[in-house]
Amino acid sequence: MRGLWFLAILGLVAAEDGLNAWLRYARLPCNIVKQAAVPPNIVALNATKISPIYVASQELQKGIKGILGKSLNVTHETSEGPSIVVGTIAAFTDSGISIETPELEEDGFWLSTKGDTVEIVGQNERGALYGAFEYLSMLAQANFTEVAYATNPSAAIRWINQWDNMDGTIERGYAGLSIFFKDNALVSNVTRVAEYARLLASIRVNGIIINNVNANAMILSDTNMAGLAKVADAMRPWGVKIGISLNFASPQTFGGLNTFDPLDKSVIAWWTGITDKLYKHVPDLAGFLVKANSEGQPGPLTYNRTLSDGANLFAKAVKPHGGIVMFRAFVYDYQNLNESNWKADRANAAVDFFRDLDDKFDDNVVVQVKYGPIDFQVREAPSPLFAHLKQTASAIELQVTQEYLGQQCHLVYLPPLWKEILNFDLRIDGEKSVIGSDILSGKRFNKKGLTGYAAVVNVGQNATWLGTHLAMSNLYGYGRLAWDPTVDEVAILEDWTRLTFGLDDTIRETITRMSMESWPAYENYTGNLGIQTLTDITGPHFGPNPQSMDNNPWGQWTRADAFSIGMDRTVKNGTGYAGQYPAEVAAMFEDIETTPDDLLLWFHHVPYTHVLKNGKTVIQHFYDAHYAGAETAATFSVQWAKLQGLIDQQRFDEMAFRLTYQAGHAIVWRDAINEFYHNLSGIADAQDRVGKHPWRVEAESMTLRGYRVTAVNPFEVASGLRIVQSVGNSSSASVSVTLNYTAGTYDLAVAYYDLYEGKASYELFLNDKSIGSWVGDNEDRLGFTLTRGIDGHSATRITFKGVEIKEGDVVRVDAKANGRETAPLDYIAVLPPGVVD
Ligand code: GCU
C-alpha cells in the first residue's frame, strides 16, 4: 500500500497491459472524487445471474468502486431512499416505479441522473446494460452533470466479423492467435471471450460472427456446435449474440451429398436440418454470414443459380428461429479480369451482380456491402450498390483491422475515413440519401428487413486486443458510429482517450492531434488522389509495391505507364463505373472538373502533368504528398515522447516503439513510391529531392567486412537501389565509414531488413564506442504479415537520437546473421535536428 502511495505522489502510474482497454475504471483524483455524488445502492431489477441487468449491476458496482473508491450494495428489491436503479421498462413498471421515458426503440435506453436517484431504463435488457456503461463512462470522465435523456440506435445490426480460422490463426489478424478457436475446435476456456463480449457491450455492439468468411465447413460438426453453445453462453450475459460464417459447399464437403445446388431438395433439407440442430445448441443464434462466389469460394453461380437463390436458401432455414443472413456483396470473378481490356473493372462487379436482384431477396437477408467497391483502400469512392438496394436490407462493412492501412504498426485513426463514406449523399432519385443517417438507418427506403453495420475486427490473444494500444480507438469509434453515424470523430477520440489514459489535458490533446493527423498522413505517404494504397496487392498488403498494382488478376489496377495514370471509370470513355451512381453523383464523377482531387485517379486516367485543382501536377503532388506524409509521421514519436511520465511505462514504451517504427516505415513508403514514379515518368521533382539523400551513407559504399553488395527486387525499396548482405549465414560481419560532417548533435538511423525466420543481431559503434544494439525481431514485436524477402514489408529502420558527432568519426555496424536473416543493411543516415530522411 505504501508503495502505491509513493507511486501516486511521484505521479507515476502502475503499468498496464491494455487488457482493460477503455473500461479501466481508474480512480479519479481525490479532489474530483469529492465532487461526485452517487447514490449508495444499486438496485438491479433482475436477479438472474446471466441476465444483462444483473451483469449491469455488477459492472456498476465494480466501476464505481474503481472510479470513486465507493463500495455500493447491490439489491434486487426496490427500496426507499436514493439508488441507482437499472432495469427494463417492463421491470420498472412491474416494480411499481413510475418513470416517464420517451419512446424507446429496441436496444435503446433512458438515463436520468436528476435528483438523488439514477434511473437506467432499457427498452430491453441489453439497452439497460448499455445505459449502465454510459453512466460509468460519464463518471470515469468526471462528468457529473445532471442528465436525463433517451438514446436509440441508428440501426438494429451492429455486428463484428472476426476472420478467425479454426486452426487458431486469424486471416488479416495482427494481434496473435484466436480467442475463439484452437486446434480446429472452439476453445474450452472462454474467459477472454467473455471479456471481449464485455468490451463489445460497452460500445453497444450486439452481434458477432466468430469465424472467417472464408469458412471451414467443420464448424458444423457436433463437437463444434457444442463449442459454439459455450461461446454463446459466455457472450449472452453481455447482450452479444453470436453467428457463424458458412461455407456454401458444406452439403457436399461436409454432409456427403453429391451437390450443393441451392435449389436441390436434398441440399435444402440438409441445411434445414443443420440449422435446426444449431439452434438447439444456440437458441438465439444471430444468423449466418455468407461469402459466396468470391475469391475462389463456392456459391450458387456454380449451378447457374442466382446469388439471391443462394442467400434465400439460408434465409428460409433461419427464418423459423428468428435469424438473419448477412450475404456479402463482395462478389467478383478474380480469375477473368484482364487489364488489357480498357473496360474491365472489378469495381463494377457488385452492382453488376446485385442490380437486378433487389426484389428477389427474402426479408431476413441483409446484403453486406464493403464501404468501397474494391477492398478497404486508404480512399475509395463509396459503394454505389447502396443506391441500388431499395427493397433489400443492407449493411455497410468497415474494417477495424488495418489490413491495407498499416496492420496496426502504423497509427491510423479510422473514424474520419468512415465518416467520409457515412456522410456521403448519394442523391438517390434526386433526394437526400446520406449513407449513414438515411440509408443504413433504414429511413430512406421502406426496406424489407434490418439494416446496419458490420466491422471486420480481428481481435487476438494479445493483451492489447488489436496488437497495439492506440488502434483501440478504432474499435471504440466503430461502436459509437454504428450507434450514431453523426457523432463527431474528435468527440469520440476525446472520450476514448480520457477513458483509456486518464483526464490529463496534455495526453488528450496530444493523442487527439496525432490521431486526427494520422489518416491524412498515411494517405499521403502511401497512395494519393484515389489511386489506392499502392501496397503489395498480391502479397501481405503491408509495405509498398506499386508495380504489383498492375497486371494482377485481382483487378486492382492503376493503369500507370510512362505518361499517364489512373482508372478511367467514366461512361463516355472508360469502364462505365461512374454511371452506377444516381444521376447527380454520376455527373459529378463523370466530369474531371467536378471530381474531387482526392478521387481523381479513381475515376480518370490522366497524364502525370495534369494540373490539379490545387495548382500542382499529379506527379508533383505525388512527390510533395509523400514528403509531407513522412514528415507528419515523424512527428508522432516526438509528440508521444512528451507523454513520458504521464502515461504508465508499459503502454508508453510499447507505443513509443511502434511510433518510431512507423516513422521509419513511412520513409520506406515515401522513397519507394517516389522512386518508382520518378523512374516510370522520367519527370523531375521540382524540389529535386527524389533519389537525393545528402544525409545518408549507402551501405554499399562503406568499407565492408564479411558483407557483399546485392541488388533488390523491387528496386525501389532500397536506398541507392542496392543493399549489402553478409556472406555465409552465421558469420559476423561489419560495415564502417568515416564521417564527413561538421561537429554537432545528430540522430543516427540505420536502415535494415527484418525477415521472418531469422533474428540477426546488430551493434552500432561510433569510434569503437557502442551506441546501441538491436535484434531483427519484428516477428515477435510487431504483428504485421512478415515476409521472407527483402522488400517493402521487411524494410525497417532504427534511430538513435542525439548522438554527438564530429568530422572524422568512424561509424561501424557489427552484425551477425541468423536463420534467413543475412543481416541486410541499406544505409546509415546522419540527421541534423529537424531533417526527415
Ligand atoms: C480481402 C482480404 C481477404 C478477405 C477478403 C474478403 O481480399 O485480403 O483476406 O478474405 O477481402 O473480404 O472476403
Side-chain angles (χ1 to χ4, degrees), residues 35-48:
Q35 301 160 27
V38 289
N41 295 306
I42 299 164
V43 179
L45 298 179
N46 191 339
T48 319

Side-chain angles (χ1 to χ4, degrees), residues 163 171-172 214 291 295 328 330 370 375 403 541:
W163 284 355
E171 183 156 339
R172 316 295 178 190
N214 299 316
K291 172 178 179 178
E295 301 185 333
R328 292 179 93 220
F330 185 66
K370 287 192 182 184
D375 198 12
E403 174 182 355
H541 302 177

Side-chain angles (χ1 to χ4, degrees), residues 710-752:
T710 59
V712 167
N713 183 14
F715 72 88
E716 70 276 6
V717 299
S719 183
L721 316 184
R722 288 175 308 158
I723 63 160
V724 301
Q725 302 191 62
S726 72
V727 187
N729 208 15
S730 59
S731 59
S732 31
S734 72
V735 299
S736 60
V737 66
T738 304
L739 297 177
N740 209 359
Y741 298 101
T742 46
T745 309
Y746 295 82
D747 289 347
L748 266 184
V750 182
Y752 64 104

Side-chain angles (χ1 to χ4, degrees), residues 489-814:
E489 60 268 38
V490 173
I492 295 174
L493 201 46
E494 292 189 332
D495 286 349
W496 175 80
T497 306
R498 278 187 287 257
L499 295 170
T500 306
F501 292 107
L503 304 183
D504 185 282
D505 287 341
T506 310
I507 299 177
R508 196 190 69 253
E509 282 159 17
T510 305
I511 292 178
T512 302
R513 190 170 50 240
M514 286 165 55
S515 302
M516 289 305 292
E517 287 170 354
S518 62
W519 173 48
Y522 191 80
E523 181 178 31
N524 274 343
Y525 63 74
T526 60
N528 323 124
L529 305 175
I531 198 62
Q532 304 176 71
T533 311
L534 297 179
T535 187
D536 192 338
I537 199 62
T538 52
H541 302 177
F542 179 63
N545 192 348
Q547 63 266 59
S548 75
M549 294 288 293
D550 282 295
N551 300 313
N552 62 63
W554 299 96
Q556 281 184 248
W557 303 324
T558 71
R559 293 196 188 279
D561 60 23
F563 310 99
S564 50
I565 185 167
M567 284 290 292
D568 185 341
R569 292 189 158 115
T570 61
V571 175
K572 57 179 174 292
N573 190 44
T575 71
Y577 166 84
Q580 291 190 342
Y581 289 95
E584 290 170 53
V585 177
M588 173 177 77
F589 289 140
E590 181 75 14
D591 184 350
I592 200 163
E593 292 304 320
T594 49
T595 303
D597 277 351
D598 55 22
L599 284 172
L600 179 79
L601 304 180
W602 184 273
F603 284 103
H604 302 278
H605 184 84
V606 298
Y608 292 109
T609 49
H610 173 85
V611 179
L612 301 170
K613 297 182 182 61
N614 67 14
K616 290 182 185 177
T617 61
V618 164
I619 192 74
Q620 193 58 43
H621 179 88
F622 261 45
Y623 297 147
D624 292 350
H626 282 83
Y627 283 99
E631 261 176 40
T632 306
T635 68
F636 296 162
S637 64
V638 179
Q639 295 186 56
W640 184 259
K642 301 205 172 113
L643 303 183
Q644 177 133 35
L646 299 175
I647 286 176
D648 61 283
Q649 202 61 38
Q650 182 171 347
R651 290 188 298 169
F652 175 82
D653 287 344
E654 287 170 357
M655 273 324 300
F657 173 72
R658 280 186 187 242
L659 294 169
T660 304
Y661 171 84
Q662 179 178 7
H665 203 231
I667 292 174
V668 172
W669 266 101
R670 177 196 84 177
D671 292 347
I673 303 301
N674 282 347
E675 289 275 2
F676 180 81
Y677 288 102
H678 184 251
N679 181 60
L680 188 63
S681 69
I683 300 175
D685 164 27
Q687 295 192 47
D688 202 22
R689 296 157 296 187
V690 180
K692 308 271 168 65
H693 304 288
W695 305 102
R696 286 184 192 175
V697 188
E698 296 295 335
E700 57 271 27
S701 70
M702 295 185 198
T703 305
L704 306 180
R705 194 174 58 80
Y707 263 112
R708 67 190 163 89
V709 178
T710 59
V712 167
N713 183 14
F715 72 88
E716 70 276 6
V717 299
S719 183
L721 316 184
R722 288 175 308 158
I723 63 160
V724 301
Q725 302 191 62
S726 72
V727 187
N729 208 15
S730 59
S731 59
S732 31
S734 72
V735 299
S736 60
V737 66
T738 304
L739 297 177
N740 209 359
Y741 298 101
T742 46
T745 309
Y746 295 82
D747 289 347
L748 266 184
V750 182
Y752 64 104
Y753 299 82
D754 193 335
L755 281 61
Y756 187 51
E757 292 174 349
K759 292 193 172 79
S761 46
Y762 304 84
E763 188 158 12
L764 175 68
F765 294 89
L766 186 70
N767 300 330
D768 295 329
K769 186 172 165 277
S770 177
I771 301 286
S773 60
W774 70 98
V775 176
D777 59 355
N778 280 350
E779 56 267 54
D780 297 339
R781 305 188 71 182
L782 295 166
F784 67 82
T785 318
L786 291 138
T787 56
R788 297 191 165 96
I790 291 175
D791 51 29
H793 321 295
S794 56
T796 307
R797 179 166 133 146
I798 189 165
T799 303
F800 298 90
K801 297 204 180 236
V803 182
E804 294 298 330
I805 288 175
K806 56 185 184 330
E807 210 172 331
D809 280 352
V810 176
V811 169
R812 191 179 87 240
V813 178
D814 286 356

Side-chain angles (χ1 to χ4, degrees), residues 22-26 28 38 59-60 63-64 67-68 109 111 113 120 129-145 147 149 198 201-204 476 480 491-500 502-503:
W22 52 84
L23 298 177
R24 296 157 60 245
Y25 303 139
L28 292 173
V38 289
E59 194 69 19
L60 286 163
I64 291 168
I67 298 164
L68 302 172
F109 65 87
L111 171 65
T113 61
I120 304 174
L129 176 59
Y130 296 167
F133 275 118
E134 175 80 350
Y135 179 53
L136 286 169
S137 170
M138 287 180 65
L139 295 180
Q141 296 183 64
N143 177 356
F144 309 128
T145 47
V147 294
Y149 63 90
R198 170 175 173 252
S202 75
I203 51 170
R204 307 176 197 168
Y476 180 83
R480 293 283 301 266
I492 295 174
L493 201 46
E494 292 189 332
D495 286 349
W496 175 80
T497 306
R498 278 187 287 257
L499 295 170
T500 306
L503 304 183

